[in-house]
Amino acid sequence: MNPALDTAWARVLDHDVPLAERQRMLADLEAKAAQSNDAHALYMLGSLYHMGQHATDSPVQQDLAKASLYLGNAAIRGSMLAMAKMAELKLTQGQYREAMNWAQIYAHYALQSKTDKQDRQSYAGELIQRIMEHIGDAQMPAIMKDVDSFVAAYDASIRVGMQEESSLDQLHPSTSRHRYKPALDERLPEAGIADFIVAFRPDGSVSDVRVVDAMPRPELAAMMHEYAASLRVKPGTGQALRYGWMPVMMDDRRYRTTTRH
């Protein structure tokens, strides 16, 4: 991800910037994404429109139609996280066959991922299991036929996008916290994905965490917020804050949060 684009997203979610200016900046990001068809820009837009007013100092209300449009376009351009989010989105909307289509597409490419392969596969399995509670085995042959057709149509562009997605991070964050430990009387958390824009001080510690999105429920952002705040990066050479997009995935079976590293 371009550091300038990280900073732009940080300003879009900054209450110190006037709302009208943030809305103008977001419109500019949308126009550029439409021109470039950049998978990550489309992913970020889809994520923000899914979260809507629940994002940190969001300049927009939730718009699931826009979220689906942007995330779907990001997915066919190689964003694996967009594939997973499309499955989560369709599941919450009760569109179970479409949800399974996207879950199987995500699982297909999770097997070929070069980063976080085990975590992606585990999340895919949990996601498919949740969707299977709503559909019958009899539908699976037709679903897998749809998945095969999708892969045949978009595989080339998806593979190019996957290569680009793996090189987005410039800060290489690390953390010693990898597990969520619920209290004895607390319900175990469900699996999910959250996105944050994190501001890092010159010494590499976290200055601020801004929520972009959380799926399948906005409330998951609060659970993953502590993890994002525990990240550290290598000290910088200047005095300015550095910003980075930090996706976090929680696996329901192992209750572990992890970045893509």
Side-chain angles (χ1 to χ4, degrees):
M1 192 172 180
N2 187 320
L5 193 54
D6 283 344
T7 303
W9 275 103
R11 287 181 59 78
V12 166
L13 302 174
D14 186 349
H15 69 274
D16 289 332
V17 178
L19 177 60
E21 183 178 345
R22 290 188 285 124
Q23 290 174 330
R24 179 191 59 75
M25 293 171 63
L26 181 62
D28 186 52
L29 288 172
E30 291 194 66
K32 290 179 179 177
Q35 292 175 354
S36 66
N37 283 323
D38 176 78
H40 184 66
L42 293 166
Y43 172 82
M44 292 294 287
L45 289 166
S47 297
L48 180 61
Y49 276 110
H50 168 260
M51 196 68 163
Q53 64 273 19
H54 301 291
T56 303
D57 297 311
S58 174
V60 297
Q61 296 293 306
Q62 186 183 63
D63 187 330
L64 296 184
K66 277 193 172 183
S68 183
L69 174 65
Y70 284 130
L71 289 171
N73 283 330
I76 64 177
R77 289 167 176 82
S79 172
M80 292 185 63
L81 287 173
M83 299 173 193
K85 284 192 175 185
M86 284 297 292
E88 294 280 16
L89 183 59
K90 297 303 181 182
L91 176 58
T92 59
Q93 293 178 314
Q95 299 175 28
Y96 303 125
R97 178 162 174 168
E98 287 190 51
M100 183 59 83
N101 282 348
W102 281 110
Q104 292 290 346
I105 291 165
Y106 175 72
H108 173 83
Y109 287 103
L111 287 170
Q112 303 170 49
S113 174
K114 294 182 179 180
T115 58
D116 287 342
K117 182 175 181 178
Q118 184 176 356
D119 294 327
R120 293 179 190 269
Q121 289 176 337
S122 183
Y123 178 81
E126 193 278 340
L127 178 59
I128 289 170
Q129 185 178 40
R130 276 191 280 138
I131 300 170
M132 280 299 297
E133 296 176 1
H134 302 280
I135 65 173
D137 291 337
Q139 297 185 59
M140 289 307 298
I143 288 171
M144 295 312 298
K145 184 177 180 180
D146 289 343
V147 171
D148 290 342
S149 297
F150 179 94
V151 171
Y154 297 108
D155 188 63
S157 65
I158 287 173
R159 289 182 181 277
V160 171
M162 287 173 63
Q163 288 291 110
E164 294 174 351
E165 186 180 50
S166 66
S167 64
L168 284 175
D169 179 56
Q170 304 294 321
L171 298 176
H172 305 291
S174 62
T175 178
S176 60
R177 302 179 188 179
H178 289 279
R179 292 187 179 275
Y180 175 79
K181 296 181 179 179
L184 292 177
D185 59 346
E186 184 181 354
R187 179 179 176 271
L188 290 174
E190 60 193 313
I193 302 170
D195 296 273
F196 304 93
I197 294 292
V198 182
F200 293 96
R201 300 184 182 94
D203 67 359
S205 63
V206 171
S207 170
D208 186 31
V209 177
R210 300 172 193 178
V211 177
V212 180
D213 190 22
M215 281 195 180
R217 295 183 298 106
E219 292 82 0
L220 286 178
M223 183 183 301
M224 299 185 188
H225 189 280
E226 181 182 359
Y227 178 86
S230 74
L231 295 170
R232 291 191 64 88
V233 297
K234 291 182 179 180
T237 56
Q239 295 302 310
L241 291 175
R242 289 170 290 166
Y243 297 93
W245 161 65
M246 302 293 155
V248 179
M249 182 177 288
M250 178 176 281
D251 183 328
D252 196 18
R253 292 180 176 176
R254 292 182 293 166
Y255 309 108
R256 182 174 69 174
T257 50
T258 177
T259 64
R260 61 194 183 280
H261 303 289

